[in-house]
Amino acid sequence: MEVNPPKQEHLLALKVMRLTKPTLFTNIPVTCEEKDLPGELFNQLMRDDPSTVNGAEILMLGEMLTLPQNFGNIFLGETFSSYISVHNDSNQVVKDILVKADLQTSSQRLNLSASNAAVAELKPDCCIDDVIHHEVKEIGTHILVCAVSYTTQGGEKMYFRKFFKFQVLKPLDVKTKFYNAETDEVFLEAQIQNITTSPMFMEKVSLEPSIMYNVAELNSVSQAGECVTTFGSRAYLQPMDTRQYLYCLKPKKEFAEKAGIIKGVTVIGKLDIVWKTNLGERGRLQTSQLQRMAPGYGDVRLSLEAIPDTVNLEEPFHITCKITNCSSERTMDLVLEMCNTNSLHWCGISGRQLGKLHPSSSLCLALTLLSSVQGLQSVSGLRLTDTFLKRTYEYDDIAQVCVVSSAIKVES
């Protein structure tokens, strides 16, 4: 009859503990009114409890801190820290101890050990300690693999390892919307939702623009000469709450003059989000490059550079238009026609030659109008004809102006 030899126990013990911030101790207050049977018994017990706050015993929040009782949640963008200890439980001196810690994700395996050199010897009741850190950049299943190899006094080489599996969760839900303005400006609305179970302190939410744009944050207002955030003095984001951030991107001067380049730009930039949770534990996320749908202007683009908000009835007013040849190869020879509407009348010669417009170049044009009807009127009726291709481009509802009676003084 064959007998299997007993499994040899290892001389070293491996312990792994996740390092996280402690939490405030909470208790459940039990109290009653003085006329009830227990009288002051419950209140006195709470006053004698060292975990309660003096004078505020009925509050659940205490003054003491408690160490984590379980592994807890790990969120994307946070730093995972762990304490690794190898202890010699035997009465022998162990030699050539090598401790290795790897983190296996769905896409890669990372070595987190501070040193890959072996320790010459480890005496009885002594230990080797190491602290590892890793900024979590992937969601999903992660496995911490801790391997220990050593040599016994008898020269036998020993090896064992342990696996610690945990899930990395998504802390924020980020949604973006783009609005393309006629002036080549791009407005970005970012909706950020806290999908964890605890409040977050939003330390920073900024937009890092691409090389072609400058960015202006529209999340603050000026009050008494000071810049005040639109979210109030408390920047906390409660669980499942959503906050909206707004940014305006303007093309840099060297790129704004090249209409063909700005027309095809889709990459806008990326969001950089920094937050803090329990006792200042920090997290950071950067989105991938945000992309918009490039607006289609066709071969010729007409935009307004200047127009008054309010004008007087039956009095001429001036607007400035910018005409851009969006073609990268073809020179255009343009003719401008102005068609009157029921309420707005163009002043000037219709059908005049504007001359040749080279690829990716622009020209500014001052025009005069007169309104015969009060109210909010739409500027329409401009026609540009390319004499080379015999193609006409129509521009209606370019802008709107408020027409008031001449008896009402219009502020300039």
Side-chain angles (χ1 to χ4, degrees), residues 305-318:
E305 295 291 294
I307 184 171
D309 295 327
T310 309
V311 298
N312 283 331
L313 181 68
E314 297 179 349
E315 289 185 10
F317 64 93
H318 307 284

Side-chain angles (χ1 to χ4, degrees), residues 228-285:
V228 180
T229 174
T230 54
F231 306 115
S233 57
R234 303 191 180 213
Y236 290 98
L237 193 59
Q238 297 295 335
M240 304 312 295
D241 278 2
T242 301
R243 184 174 288 176
Q244 293 169 301
Y245 294 84
L246 188 61
Y247 303 90
C248 176
L249 296 107
K250 296 182 180 180
K252 293 180 180 178
K253 189 176 181 181
E254 57 267 31
F255 298 110
E257 296 171 353
K258 300 176 182 179
I261 295 178
I262 288 296
K263 175 187 175 184
V265 171
T266 57
V267 176
I268 296 300
K270 55 186 177 181
L271 286 170
D272 187 14
I273 307 169
V274 180
W275 70 90
K276 289 181 179 178
T277 53
N278 177 43
L279 293 181
E281 202 153 0
R282 192 182 177 119
R284 181 185 181 188
L285 277 182

Side-chain angles (χ1 to χ4, degrees), residues 178 188 204-217 247 249 252 267-274 284-290:
F178 289 101
L188 168 65
K204 184 182 77 167
V205 180
S206 61
L207 177 64
E208 297 179 1
S210 62
I211 192 173
M212 293 187 180
Y213 286 95
N214 292 318
V215 64
E217 293 192 9
Y247 303 90
L249 296 107
K252 293 180 180 178
V267 176
I268 296 300
K270 55 186 177 181
L271 286 170
D272 187 14
I273 307 169
V274 180
R284 181 185 181 188
L285 277 182
Q286 274 195 334
T287 65
S288 55
Q289 288 288 348
L290 303 175

Side-chain angles (χ1 to χ4, degrees), residues 95-100 115-119 128 147-150:
K95 297 181 179 180
D96 301 328
I97 306 99
L98 180 62
V99 182
K100 188 178 179 184
S115 173
N116 291 321
V119 178
I128 301 171
V148 180
S149 61
Y150 62 95

Side-chain angles (χ1 to χ4, degrees), residues 74-79 135-139 168-175 192-196 200 202-208 270-276 282-290:
I74 299 179
F75 293 100
L76 185 69
E78 293 182 344
T79 299
E135 185 179 343
V136 182
K137 297 180 180 179
E138 293 182 45
I139 59 174
V168 174
L169 307 175
K170 186 179 174 185
L172 299 169
D173 186 31
V174 181
K175 296 177 181 176
I192 299 176
Q193 184 182 23
N194 175 10
I195 56 176
T196 70
M200 283 183 178
M202 304 305 291
E203 185 175 296
K204 184 182 77 167
V205 180
S206 61
L207 177 64
E208 297 179 1
K270 55 186 177 181
L271 286 170
D272 187 14
I273 307 169
V274 180
W275 70 90
K276 289 181 179 178
R282 192 182 177 119
R284 181 185 181 188
L285 277 182
Q286 274 195 334
T287 65
S288 55
Q289 288 288 348
L290 303 175

Side-chain angles (χ1 to χ4, degrees), residues 109 328 405:
R109 189 179 181 115
S328 58
S405 171

